[in-house]
Amino acid sequence: MINITLPDNSIKSFDESPSGMDVALSISEGFARSCVAMDINGTLFDLKKKIDSDASLRFITPKDDEALEILRHSAAHVMAEAVQNLYGGALLTIGPVVEEGFYYDIDMPPVSEEDFPAIEAEMNKIVKEKKSFERIVVSKEKALEMFRNNPYKKELIQELGDEEISLYRQGGFVDLCRGPHLPHTGMIKGLKLMKISGAYWRADQSREQLQRLYGTAFFDKKELKQYLYLMEEAKKRDHRKVGTRLGLFSFHQEAPGMPFFHPRGMDIWNVLLEYWREEHRAAGYVETKTPVMLNRRLWEQSGHWENYRENMYTSVVDDEEYAIKPMNCPGGMLLYRTGSYSYRDLPLRAGEIGLVHRHELSGALSGLFRVRAFHQDDAHIFMTQDQIEDEILGVLKLVERIYSRFGLGFHLELSTRPEKSIGTDAQWDQATGGLRRALDKYGRDYIINEGDGAFYGPKIDIHIKDALGRTWQCGTVQLDMALPERFDLSYKGADNEKHRPIMIHRVIYGSIERFFGILVEHFAGRFPLWLAPVQVVILPINDELAGHARKVGEKLMEKKIRCEVDSRSESLKKKIRDAQTDYIPLILTIGEKERETGTLSVRTLDGKVRMGVAMDDFTAPVMSHIKNRVLEGTPFD
RNA sequence: GCCGGCGUAACUCAGUUGGUAGAGUAGCUGAUUCGUAAUCAGCAAGUCAGCGGUUCGACUCCGCUCGUCGGCUCCA
């Protein structure tokens, strides 16, 4: 007699070992049809597995988080079979599930997206056949024998322990796999190949070049449609497209990976920094600036010459070797060392909008998201041991303040000591403990990435979430146990002894260029009033009214409202259309009536018009809306 | 850097099997003077990314270089 306990604590009893499917069928046939896999005592299994002792069981249905992963894993097998059916000599390697779908690395001649329809058709054929996934367990020797023609699989099998090896079979297709899998291929409803790229076996450039085929899959065609819609929306918002169309920035062959900012882009840039300075002053930061080019000796002392040299630009001046800074910290060290500090001066919060250059791989460049020259909104905080917690907490609060101003959510990740690292266990414990206590005090959940810290200290990464739900790592708070040592920094304690300060590096925007790009996509180019490069456009109805329009413009400029007059001899309709497609939040049309009465006609982006607004009734609310950095709309919506 | 795709006017893109190039938008000129999302006409604009090769002839085929896109990798 086998007793199965279900999540609602009901117990089903069976005379003989039932399979998961048997248990599901005992609930209802419809339910059984929807089940994907099962969780027995905390481990996932196929529904076909026989349960031979009492157990508590939870069925995995498409509603559960684990289900999608299983589905996609099965979909990867379907893709692998399809490719093997179509391309004779294709050798399968690995095919994991990734965040948005799955991929399979296959040793085969290059294919292109033109081949996708044929592969998809073959996949759909396999899906239609509702092939059952069967788990087969064999010995290591047998597995090696079965995959004797596939060196990749053999390599994988060799690395597995001596225990038995599980394989999965669907029809005539067998693949090495831990599982679990769907009951059958028919459950994969929304299936699509996404892209193709090269990848190396074991991510090693010296090894075989493989074809990586990406796909995604859902339980429901609708979900696939929704996903494709989001992808398309993201494509439409692509900051490279939107930024070019709005005239914010450009890139040129003469300086790959180094953006040029145009006047309208600089408006946004300056507003971002203005806001940043305001918040940092209020949070007790001072601002500093260090040179872009520094002597090689400094980089040797900081350790960058040893650890980061391949990313640094260098130059020889008067027979001396210089490096263009890839980070601001060494310069910051010199600044600190210029003064002499007592414990009363700490914490010292020194901000710096530093322009750094990093020679990134040419293939890694991507719009403003990955560049070779960028500005960091850096700050170095020097403090005593017992200030760690409060200082970290202060940074986290500042981060929250600033991100929420843009309507960006975020989550936190703590990275701990990596294998290759400097410092003592005690130092690491103390540093990591300080970060942990600050996070706990802060009160939000955080993820822990064991061993993912920098070699010189643990860190907290802050990942923002944009309007499309995509996440980006922007902010980071890193404790540095190396530089104060290398530069022999000190402060005088209350005990009149020299002490080594603790130092953190932190950024909030991260790379201002990248943050800019993220904002373009987050707002889809429709910046809130306070950020909009042109806040108001003034449209005279005819040429004769251009003079009055300019006068109105001057009045707004006096109030520091960014505005332009469009006095082209175009129709009003045309000028409105152009203003709308430039996402200018407020449009003032100037006709005879406005000139006579000295009022304004205000049109917002949603097409609503308010006539007869007095000048002051326009400027006052607009100015306060801007000053308060209101995220949504305008005072005239 | 590696693999693959792409590179035609300022921008977005056409260009059949090789016979030296077009459209829309923007720009300029002129007409129109307009009340809430595109007025009309004309003009000008390209070493077809660059270099080399094949060919009687190359935007088209081949090679290299540069840039760019998607991945690998790396990270802010």
Side-chain angles (χ1 to χ4, degrees):
Chain A
M1 183 86 134
I2 307 277
N3 292 313
I4 307 291
T5 310
L6 298 171
D8 63 358
N9 283 325
S10 65
I11 294 174
K12 296 263 181 190
S13 301
F14 296 84
D15 294 336
E16 285 172 35
S17 294
S19 70
M21 192 46 95
D22 293 333
V23 181
L25 280 166
S26 78
I27 295 170
S28 90
E29 210 186 305
F31 177 73
R33 247 201 312 272
S34 74
C35 286
V36 173
M38 60 182 170
D39 171 344
I40 300 176
N41 304 329
T43 311
L44 293 177
F45 292 101
D46 302 307
L47 289 171
K48 291 190 185 72
K49 182 185 168 66
K50 295 268 188 213
I51 306 166
D52 40 26
S53 61
D54 290 1
S56 65
L57 185 161
R58 176 174 67 97
F59 285 106
I60 307 295
T61 69
K63 287 190 204 88
D64 297 297
D65 293 341
E66 300 99 323
L68 199 55
E69 210 170 299
I70 294 168
L71 170 91
R72 288 173 172 175
H73 198 172
S74 297
H77 281 228
V78 170
M79 182 170 78
E81 182 184 353
V83 169
Q84 279 207 330
N85 290 348
L86 295 174
Y87 301 87
L91 292 177
L92 303 176
T93 70
I94 54 165
V97 172
V98 289
E99 207 172 314
E100 299 194 337
F102 57 88
Y103 68 80
Y104 216 119
D105 282 349
I106 305 172
D107 186 353
M108 64 189 291
V111 290
S112 77
E113 295 197 4
E114 283 164 29
D115 304 309
F116 282 8
I119 301 171
E120 278 175 349
E122 184 68 17
M123 288 168 76
N124 285 323
K125 210 170 99 195
I126 296 164
V127 167
K128 271 221 183 77
E129 286 171 25
K130 298 193 178 178
K131 291 186 178 185
S132 172
F133 282 98
E134 306 285 349
R135 184 187 176 90
I136 305 165
V137 177
V138 298
S139 66
K140 195 164 181 170
E141 291 69 34
K142 173 83 171 134
L144 285 170
E145 164 64 16
M146 288 175 77
F147 288 100
R148 64 183 175 280
N149 294 324
N150 186 327
Y152 307 101
K153 293 289 182 190
K154 271 163 61 184
E155 191 175 323
L156 292 172
I157 294 165
Q158 293 288 9
E159 285 168 17
L160 292 171
D162 282 329
E163 73 274 19
E164 292 173 315
I165 308 264
S166 69
L167 311 169
Y168 276 79
R169 188 169 71 82
Q170 74 220 35
F173 174 84
V174 180
D175 196 6
L176 176 72
C177 187
R178 190 174 46 225
H181 277 281
L182 300 173
H184 62 84
T185 59
M187 295 180 85
I188 307 168
K189 300 288 190 206
L191 191 56
K192 189 157 171 55
L193 293 185
M194 299 305 293
K195 51 196 167 195
I196 177 113
S197 79
Y200 296 99
W201 172 236
R202 302 262 140 135
D204 183 344
Q205 279 192 27
S206 67
R207 305 200 62 178
E208 296 84 344
Q209 171 81 41
L210 310 169
Q211 299 296 311
R212 177 168 294 181
L213 273 162
Y214 285 86
T216 195
F218 296 90
F219 284 103
D220 190 327
K221 279 214 171 80
K222 258 194 229 148
E223 290 173 77
L224 173 66
K225 249 180 111 177
Q226 169 69 15
Y227 171 74
L228 294 176
Y229 167 78
L230 267 181
M231 297 290 290
E232 216 170 284
E233 188 57 27
K235 218 169 151 188
K236 267 193 246 164
R237 289 171 178 234
D238 188 321
H239 72 278
R240 290 166 299 198
K241 278 216 163 83
V242 176
T244 305
R245 190 172 72 74
L246 298 181
L248 305 181
F249 55 83
S250 59
F251 285 91
H252 302 273
Q253 286 207 0
E254 289 77 1
M258 305 188 187
F260 288 61
F261 281 85
H262 298 207
R264 287 191 178 185
M266 275 315 289
D267 281 332
I268 297 171
W269 180 282
N270 287 330
V271 174
L272 285 176
L273 285 192
E274 210 174 281
Y275 172 57
W276 186 91
R277 293 199 161 100
E278 190 179 305
E279 289 292 359
H280 280 72
R281 249 192 309 268
Y285 283 74
V286 294
E287 189 172 346
T288 59
K289 189 175 180 71
T290 64
V292 163
M293 211 165 144
L294 299 123
N295 195 289
R296 167 177 173 168
R297 285 190 303 278
L298 179 79
W299 302 105
E300 283 170 348
Q301 187 175 5
S302 70
H304 286 85
W305 198 259
E306 197 185 338
N307 293 306
Y308 206 73
R309 193 172 159 195
E310 64 279 18
N311 281 310
M312 290 160 67
Y313 292 95
T314 55
S315 183
V316 174
V317 181
D318 291 342
D319 297 329
E320 288 275 338
E321 198 163 9
Y322 286 80
I324 312 232
K325 65 177 174 183
M327 297 182 196
N328 302 303
C329 30
M333 296 297 105
L334 295 186
L335 261 184
Y336 181 92
R337 245 186 6 197
T338 308
S340 62
Y341 295 92
S342 98
Y343 69 98
R344 297 178 205 273
D345 299 319
L346 305 185
L348 172 64
R349 308 187 188 104
E352 170 170 15
I353 304 296
L355 170 59
V356 297
H357 290 71
R358 298 182 185 175
H359 184 82
E360 300 291 346
L361 297 178
S362 61
L365 302 179
S366 173
L368 292 176
F369 285 171
R370 189 120 216 116
V371 292
R372 283 177 172 162
F374 60 100
H375 295 73
Q376 288 181 304
D377 63 321
D378 217 339
H380 302 114
I381 303 179
F382 303 91
M383 61 202 164
T384 65
Q385 201 59 256
D386 52 6
Q387 288 170 333
I388 295 179
E389 200 177 314
D390 280 350
E391 282 308 303
I392 303 281
L393 193 58
V395 172
L396 293 177
K397 284 183 177 161
L398 188 58
V399 160
E400 173 161 5
R401 241 184 111 70
I402 292 179
Y403 289 167
S404 62
R405 188 55 80 184
F406 300 96
L408 295 161
F410 66 95
H411 78 266
L412 303 163
E413 299 188 6
L414 172 68
S415 296
T416 60
R417 184 175 193 173
E419 276 185 28
K420 216 183 113 190
S421 58
I422 56 154
T424 64
D425 286 353
Q427 280 175 315
W428 275 89
D429 286 348
Q430 191 163 30
T432 311
L435 293 188
R436 211 182 286 260
R437 278 193 303 281
L439 281 167
D440 291 337
K441 205 160 161 187
Y442 182 58
R444 276 191 182 229
D445 287 344
Y446 56 91
I447 298 169
I448 296 179
N449 297 322
E450 293 290 354
D452 220 23
F455 71 92
Y456 50 77
K459 61 174 183 172
I460 298 169
D461 288 327
I462 304 130
H463 297 251
I464 62 172
K465 191 171 198 175
D466 73 10
L468 289 184
R470 298 172 299 176
T471 59
W472 311 92
Q473 198 228 300
C474 286
T476 179
V477 191
Q478 307 189 348
L479 247 154
D480 191 331
M481 308 190 293
L483 285 182
E485 198 78 33
R486 279 174 174 269
F487 283 86
D488 193 28
L489 302 190
S490 66
Y491 66 89
K492 208 46 133 356
D495 54 6
N496 202 28
E497 295 291 323
K498 259 168 91 172
H499 296 273
R500 183 84 67 216
I502 304 282
M503 173 194 169
I504 60 178
H505 314 249
R506 47 108 284 186
V507 290
I508 294 181
Y509 290 151
S511 147
I512 299 170
E513 282 77 353
R514 191 160 85 112
F515 193 76
F516 187 113
I518 291 168
L519 287 184
V520 171
E521 302 199 2
H522 176 61
F523 293 121
R526 295 162 205 264
F527 289 97
L529 187 61
W530 69 279
L531 274 170
V534 181
Q535 294 166 317
V536 179
V537 67
I538 303 165
L539 311 180
I541 276 180
N542 59 41
D543 294 351
E544 230 178 292
L545 290 157
H548 180 59
R550 272 191 293 275
K551 270 185 215 150
V552 172
E554 280 161 22
K555 280 192 184 136
L556 297 185
M557 282 189 269
E558 276 169 27
K559 308 273 189 195
K560 311 263 190 307
I561 295 169
R562 294 186 291 277
C563 71
E564 283 180 7
V565 177
D566 182 355
S567 53
R568 293 175 301 165
S569 296
E570 294 285 352
S571 68
L572 181 64
K573 277 174 189 278
K574 167 72 169 166
K575 289 195 269 194
I576 285 173
R577 186 186 143 82
D578 287 348
Q580 297 268 53
T581 54
D582 275 355
Y583 306 137
I584 296 169
L586 292 165
I587 299 171
L588 300 180
T589 48
I590 300 291
E592 206 53 59
K593 206 178 290 170
E594 284 70 31
R595 180 160 65 180
E596 272 168 30
T597 59
T599 60
L600 299 169
S601 165
V602 185
R603 183 186 163 114
T604 48
L605 269 184
D606 54 13
K608 284 198 200 108
V609 179
R610 197 171 318 166
M611 312 262 285
V613 180
M615 192 69 178
D616 290 346
D617 292 341
F618 177 75
T619 52
V622 166
M623 284 162 70
S624 105
H625 197 277
I626 293 169
K627 182 163 172 267
N628 293 323
R629 301 192 174 92
V630 179
L631 193 57
E632 307 275 354
T634 70
F636 296 90
D637 289 315

